Structure formats: C-alpha cells, structure tokens
Amino acid sequence: LMTLPPPTTRSRVVLCPMGEDLLGLSSAYDSRYPEDHAELERLVPKETFDEVMERISDDIIFNWPCLLCRGLYWLLCPFTLGLSLMVLRVTCLRDLVIAVEDNCALENRRLQREAGDEPVKVRWSFHHDMFKQVSWIQIDLLDVQTDHDDAGQA
C-alpha cells in the first residue's frame, strides 16, 4: 500500500517527490512554482522559491547515494535479511535528510529575520516517514485562514 503526501490546500503547498525513490526519499521534488496558488504568490516570490528549491536540489544531488552503494545494499539485502538497507538509511540517506531539513531551517531563519517583531507568515519543512515510504517538502502559509478543506490534515 503506497502512502501519498497530503494534498495542497489554501494554507499548505506540498511539493511532491518527482525522482527516483529510495526508502521513501526522492532524488528530486517538484520544483515548479505553483502559479495558480494565489496565497503562495502573495507570500513567497517566485525568485525566493526558485532559490530555496535550487539549494535543496543541489544538496539532494550531492548527498544521493551513488549507484555502487545502492547496488551493493540491494545485493546484500537477502543475505543480511534487510539490515543492509538500514545501514544505507543510517549512513548515506541520513546526510540527505539533514541537508534538506537544514535548508528548510535556513529559509525559516531568514524569514524570521525579515519579519523582525512581526509574526512569520511562511514556514518551510521537510516531511519523511521511512515506514510509510513517503516524503515531501511543505510550505505552510501561516497567515492564511484555514478553511474546511484544511481541517484535520497534517
């Protein structure tokens, strides 16, 4: 059973995985600016969106396990009863998750500095669930009133 990221709503933009999947992580996430999302256009300029997504994409490319590592882990999987995949998760993929989370945190700190004493209106985050085999990048638009479509969705 494949788990999907939550849908995009008025107060949440979800950037879905687009590339090769490895234990729920993706080699790329949708980096197209959602032109039809009026709330995002109001709060996040296209240039800022492109800069953040470029940094995230560069870090994913840099930290994505090489073909030899991926092949070796999968080849050893039957002999180690799956433990080789856990080694991949703890070694190579951990750096990838940290890099994406750090980029989201960097952008959130920049937004906080710009906001000063005002409340921050946008929050970037990376969501990954190894057990459900799913991940996505999320932009929460914090000053948008949540309507009934957003209720109960994380």
Side-chain angles (χ1 to χ4, degrees), residues 11-152:
S11 63
R12 174 183 60 219
V13 176
V14 175
L15 305 173
C16 294
M18 301 283 291
E20 178 186 353
D21 181 86
L22 187 58
L23 299 176
L25 293 169
S26 181
S27 62
Y29 292 86
D30 191 356
S31 60
R32 295 171 296 171
Y33 188 76
E35 302 282 350
D36 59 340
H37 198 288
E39 302 296 341
L40 181 70
E41 288 183 39
R42 183 173 62 83
L43 295 170
V44 180
K46 183 178 182 332
E47 297 77 29
T48 301
F49 178 89
D50 289 342
E51 287 172 18
V52 174
M53 289 308 297
E54 183 176 344
R55 280 196 319 261
I56 289 172
S57 295
D58 288 348
D59 278 343
I60 289 173
I61 290 168
F62 181 77
N63 288 292
W64 193 252
C66 68
L67 184 60
L68 177 64
C69 287
R70 291 189 315 252
L72 193 58
Y73 289 120
W74 283 110
L75 181 68
L76 294 175
C77 188
F79 304 107
T80 63
L81 302 176
L83 290 177
S84 63
L85 294 178
M86 292 310 295
V87 171
L88 173 68
R89 171 74 179 104
V90 170
T91 57
C92 301
L93 295 179
R94 178 184 54 115
D95 293 339
L96 188 148
V97 170
I98 289 170
V100 176
E101 288 173 343
D102 285 350
N103 270 298
C104 290
L106 177 70
E107 182 59 17
N108 291 335
R109 285 191 302 272
R110 186 191 69 76
L111 290 167
Q112 184 64 56
R113 277 194 313 272
E114 281 183 2
D117 294 333
E118 298 292 318
V120 176
K121 297 178 179 178
V122 177
R123 180 180 57 230
W124 288 72
S125 56
F126 180 63
H127 299 266
H128 172 245
D129 188 325
M130 182 178 73
F131 299 107
K132 291 183 179 178
Q133 300 286 304
V134 65
S135 62
W136 68 91
I137 296 169
Q138 184 168 311
I139 307 169
D140 292 305
L141 308 173
L142 304 175
D143 79 333
V144 174
Q145 289 296 323
T146 304
D147 55 25
H148 61 77
D149 293 336
D150 292 352

